[in-house]
Amino acid sequence: MLERIIGHFGASIETKMLSAEELPAYIEQAGQVMVQSLLSGGKILSCGNGGSAGDSQHFSSELLNRFERERPSLPAIALTTDSSTVTSIANDYSYNEVFSKQIRALGNPGDVLLAISTSGNSANVIQAIQAAHEREMTVVALTGKNGGGMASLLTADDVEIRVPSDITARIQEVHLLVIHCLCDFIDCALFGEE
């Protein structure tokens, strides 16, 4: 088991090294999209399922509260946190609509949707992207594997950050690092480098 544990560290490091070669330009582009939205009075909505729901909440908490420095709160909403809203939509309509209905109510032109799915095939995240486009929002998609159905929905204004891995755990590990890179980018762009 010890060798297996060490192997997980090695696989994580390898995936992060590959990601370091492939993803920085996309992360920078996504950061610029988010900063522009915030500077224009917009907000960032985020969504995902399971571990990706946790990532969406992690991201919004870093913006609403603080990342690594004291600064004003920034407008971000995780669409995964209101259990009454999520369960009523799932019960009355469909689980596939739990995010899209919220986006149609809360999203405005110029806002950004951070859509997270390791496979890129989560039906409710796909519907969230469609709703975001209807609301004239830009989408930043965190995916893995081959990008799934999410990749085919993205427009020239959207940004996909696709982790070069087929293993869910490795994709999630890089998604967390990407989220921290985005938080740092936003803070530095809005409040200067420390």
Side-chain angles (χ1 to χ4, degrees):
M1 290 308 289
L2 191 61
E3 287 181 16
R4 188 172 178 86
I5 292 166
I6 293 167
H8 288 308
F9 276 87
S12 183
I13 291 165
E14 183 180 342
T15 304
K16 286 176 179 164
M17 293 300 292
L18 248 150
S19 298
E21 294 172 15
E22 295 184 22
L23 301 184
Y26 298 107
I27 297 169
E28 180 182 38
Q29 186 182 358
Q32 289 169 343
V33 163
M34 291 177 171
V35 165
Q36 188 54 52
S37 174
L38 294 168
L39 286 172
S40 301
K43 62 188 170 297
I44 303 171
L45 307 179
S46 58
C47 66
N49 297 285
S52 298
D55 286 342
S56 76
Q57 292 164 211
H58 185 138
F59 177 78
S60 72
S61 74
E62 302 284 26
L63 264 60
L64 282 165
N65 184 29
R66 64 188 294 270
F67 179 51
E68 291 189 326
R69 68 166 91 179
E70 295 302 324
R71 51 119 169 103
S73 297
L74 299 170
I77 303 170
L79 302 176
T80 55
T81 58
D82 183 344
S83 60
S84 295
T85 295
V86 169
T87 56
S88 71
I89 295 169
N91 183 63
D92 294 348
Y93 297 92
S94 159
Y95 188 71
N96 291 345
E97 296 183 57
V98 295
F99 303 135
S100 59
K101 285 186 74 72
Q102 292 184 74
I103 289 165
R104 288 188 184 100
L106 301 172
N108 294 311
D111 288 347
V112 173
L113 172 67
L114 177 62
I116 309 172
S117 171
T118 57
S119 68
N121 287 318
S122 300
N124 57 3
V125 180
I126 286 172
Q127 286 196 20
I129 291 171
Q130 293 167 332
H133 286 153
E134 290 168 16
R135 299 293 296 162
E136 298 176 35
M137 296 169 61
T138 305
V139 176
V140 172
L142 294 188
T143 66
K145 302 183 181 178
N146 66 0
M150 287 169 60
S152 64
L153 292 177
L154 301 177
T155 69
D157 294 328
D158 299 327
V159 183
E160 182 185 14
I161 302 171
R162 184 187 302 175
V163 177
S165 177
D166 291 326
I167 300 167
T168 299
R170 302 294 83 84
I171 297 166
Q172 289 175 327
E173 288 158 6
V174 176
H175 280 181
L176 179 57
L177 179 55
V178 169
I179 284 167
H180 286 163
C181 288
L182 290 170
C183 291
D184 180 70
F185 185 102
I186 290 166
D187 278 5
C188 289
L190 293 179
F191 305 104
E193 295 184 34
E194 286 190 313

